[in-house]
Amino acid sequence: MKSIFTIIFLFIASSFYAQEKEMSPQIEWGFVVGLSYGQLAGVASPSDTAMAFFNSVETQAVVGVHAGIAVTFPINSKWEFEPQFVANMLGPRVVYERKNGRLETFRVQPLRIDLPLHIHYKNGKENAGLSVGIKPLFGLSELGNSRPGLLEYDVMGDIGVRRKLHMGVGSYWLEILFSSSLLNIASPNDNVYDEWFSELRRQEITLRLHFM
């Protein structure tokens, strides 16, 4: 009789364990792809040297693509931590007008590596949520024609909303993020191109798909 009760007890316990394991969140990884619209927001305070060479210096917004990988670590049923590795081709333009009227256009770090660290909150149905985090990034200016004097690194703050959608047999997250630099990336030196702005910060809006 004891053996029968023991077998029944083990069977019930194993059933609960299997159900709990099935319901518990699992670590996932996937891909992120998207578009970003961004510009440099600057505070102009040109030096006398810069004004001797240029009539004006302007920043222009551009659209760039990005792609990368992400790993999601569940904290509980509502919260997740997600580090990412993303290659980003968003390089805002800076246009210089010389005294003779000639225009010179340069891209600021046209290729960079982003390392977002995001916290996601999901509602009870898990089909919508919020994202917040920071995004260290590193410019690869040797692959482009960005001017010296700008910091080759930055840290941006990210905040956005996301919604889970279903497509065929799979599902994905649609995410909209607003990002802004936490650092002043203007680093003036002896180059006159860098003596026009006392402050430069990235501002970006991102639309991305997150396949898990």
Side-chain angles (χ1 to χ4, degrees):
M1 181 66 69
K2 289 183 179 181
S3 60
I4 294 177
F5 281 111
T6 301
I7 293 174
I8 294 175
F9 174 78
L10 292 175
F11 175 78
I12 295 175
S14 62
S15 299
F16 275 107
Y17 173 78
Q19 183 178 7
E20 179 66 21
K21 184 176 181 181
E22 182 178 353
M23 295 176 60
S24 63
Q26 302 294 318
I27 297 175
E28 296 181 313
W29 69 277
F31 302 96
V32 292
V33 294
L35 295 174
S36 294
Y37 176 82
Q39 64 178 359
L40 293 175
V43 176
S45 55
S47 66
D48 293 338
T49 304
M51 293 183 66
F53 284 88
F54 303 101
N55 290 326
S56 65
V57 180
E58 298 180 350
T59 62
Q60 296 182 348
V62 297
V63 176
V65 298
H66 62 269
I69 58 176
V71 181
T72 303
F73 297 91
I75 300 174
N76 54 38
S77 60
K78 292 184 177 295
W79 296 92
E80 298 174 340
F81 171 65
E82 184 181 85
Q84 304 174 14
F85 181 92
V86 179
N88 197 325
M89 298 182 67
L90 179 67
R93 292 190 183 94
V94 180
V95 180
Y96 305 92
E97 181 183 351
R98 287 188 171 272
K99 287 296 184 179
N100 60 9
R102 185 165 62 91
L103 298 179
E104 296 181 357
T105 302
F106 298 93
R107 298 286 298 274
V108 177
Q109 297 164 355
L111 177 60
R112 72 186 202 213
I113 299 298
D114 296 352
L115 303 173
L117 302 171
H118 287 170
I119 296 290
H120 300 313
Y121 172 79
K122 300 182 296 183
N123 68 357
K125 296 181 180 179
E126 297 188 2
N127 61 357
L130 302 174
S131 296
V132 64
I134 61 173
K135 178 170 59 186
L137 60 90
F138 303 90
L140 303 179
S141 61
E142 66 272 13
L143 299 181
N145 55 355
S146 62
R147 284 289 179 178
L150 296 179
L151 295 182
E152 295 298 316
Y153 59 89
D154 194 2
V155 178
M156 304 185 72
D158 294 343
I159 186 170
V161 295
R162 59 204 311 256
R163 184 171 182 84
K164 193 172 187 178
L165 304 174
H166 297 279
M167 179 178 61
V169 296
S171 61
Y172 60 94
W173 287 93
L174 177 64
E175 194 170 41
I176 300 176
L177 292 170
F178 173 77
S179 307
S180 181
S181 292
L182 303 179
L183 303 178
N184 176 15
I185 66 171
S187 179
N189 54 24
D190 294 334
N191 192 326
V192 294
Y193 294 92
D194 307 313
E195 296 180 356
W196 197 272
F197 295 99
S198 62
E199 182 176 325
L200 281 174
R201 298 181 187 271
R202 291 180 175 86
Q203 292 182 346
E204 301 172 2
I205 297 176
T206 298
L207 177 67
R208 63 165 47 170
L209 292 177
H210 190 162
F211 301 92
M212 300 299 292

